[in-house]
Amino acid sequence: MAEISLFEALRTCRTVRRLRPDPVPDELLRKILTAATWAPSGGNRQPWRFLVVRDAERKRQLRELYLPLWRTFSQAYTAHLSGLPAEARARQERMVGSADHLAEHFHEAPVIVVVCVHIPELAITDAGLDRPSVVGGASIYPAVQNLILACRAVGLGAALTTLLCQKEPEVRALLDIPVGWATCAHLALGFPEGAGHGPVRRKPVERVAFLDRWEQPLFPVS
Ligand SMILES: Cc1cc2nc3c(=O)[nH]c(=O)nc-3n(C[C@H](O)[C@H](O)[C@H](O)COP(=O)(O)O)c2cc1C
């Protein structure tokens, strides 16, 4: 497969929820997981483990845990779509339809990667603030994103969920994850059924980048 540039990978790295059952070769897994390990982390502690689940029964149990979580989430999510303009609603409904497919077929993904982080190694510099802490994630989610981008580069699709983290005790028991290690992402990986990737839809940079003070545009809004 022809290499793509980093910027092209970033521009076209979409969530791929329809995956073929074809196995993911070990050498590809090694390549994408190695890319994940190139991520930065606080103090370069590299507090990660990547638990690759290929066993059919364990994947089925992960699906049993995920499906009800997704159904509850998507019910609440779709309840808010009625107020949207028709085009935006149709887009959201397509996304939910594709996410329904992922949830129903989660166990059919050839690989599910459970990304785990070692809590004692995290430097959580915002732990004392009067709001939910977010900084701990900064030492693990760059590795998750490296993994997703590496999938894009080698022609694999990836779909990330953090909903399953709610079932951490069950996942811990299922996969023998030791105490002290937290689950932070579950990724279904495989070759895309169709084209898979394509241009991402995001807010324009003009709306999200500021200069010197909040909401002062860095770039002119055209
Ligand atoms: C933290 C996080 C959690 C997500 N959870 C789910 C999920 O449970 N199910 C799902 O189908 N997609 C999930 N996604 C994928 C997002 O829906 C997707 O990234 C977003 O809609 C943008 O679409 P794109 O990635 O195709 O550009 C999640 C993404 C992130 C970053």
Side-chain angles (χ1 to χ4, degrees):
M1 178 177 179
E3 296 268 322
I4 60 170
S5 76
L6 176 59
F7 274 81
E8 185 58 10
L10 290 165
R11 193 183 70 82
T12 60
C13 189
R14 284 212 294 234
T15 299
V16 180
R17 300 185 179 89
R18 293 173 196 274
L19 302 167
R20 300 203 320 248
D22 312 50
V24 177
D26 274 353
E27 60 274 23
L28 271 195
L29 264 185
R30 177 184 286 276
K31 194 166 182 170
I32 61 174
L33 290 169
T34 302
T37 68
W38 290 335
S41 56
N44 200 19
R45 293 198 186 103
Q46 305 165 56
W48 43 62
R49 293 291 184 274
F50 305 93
L51 220 164
V52 173
V53 184
R54 278 173 159 160
D55 175 68
E57 178 52 25
R58 287 191 173 89
K59 285 193 298 177
R60 198 192 57 73
Q61 292 195 39
L62 288 174
R63 184 257 198 190
E64 294 310 300
L65 293 168
Y66 177 51
L67 188 56
L69 292 171
W70 170 253
R71 289 208 168 123
T72 305
F73 177 85
S74 76
Q75 258 171 23
Y77 189 83
T78 44
H80 288 100
L81 298 184
S82 54
L84 289 179
E87 197 192 317
R89 188 171 67 234
R91 212 170 30 244
Q92 291 291 323
E93 283 170 355
R94 275 198 302 278
M95 192 272 280
V96 171
S98 140
D100 286 345
H101 177 92
L102 172 73
E104 278 151 25
H105 297 264
F106 201 63
H107 57 304
E108 292 167 20
V111 165
I112 297 172
V113 181
V114 181
V115 182
C116 300
V117 66
H118 196 213
I119 299 293
E121 286 182 276
L122 294 179
I124 308 177
T125 54
D126 63 347
L129 296 182
D130 184 20
R131 59 154 176 77
S133 166
V134 292
V135 168
S139 283
I140 188 66
Y141 290 112
V144 173
Q145 181 65 2
N146 271 18
L147 182 59
I148 293 171
L149 283 170
C151 284
R152 170 71 190 94
V154 301
L156 286 169
L160 160 72
T161 180
T162 48
L163 280 178
L164 249 177
C165 298
Q166 291 175 48
K167 295 285 176 185
E168 187 172 281
E170 290 85 344
V171 174
R172 181 185 302 290
L174 179 66
L175 305 175
D176 297 332
I177 299 170
V179 172
W181 289 83
T183 57
C184 53
H186 300 71
L187 294 113
L189 306 186
F191 293 99
E193 251 182 36
H197 293 285
V200 297
R201 257 189 97 84
R202 300 290 187 261
K203 291 172 188 158
V205 68
E206 290 82 357
R207 276 187 56 196
V208 298
F210 305 146
L211 175 66
D212 292 333
R213 64 178 175 76
W214 193 255
E215 284 203 342
Q216 175 155 275
L218 172 60
F219 304 114
V221 183
S222 50

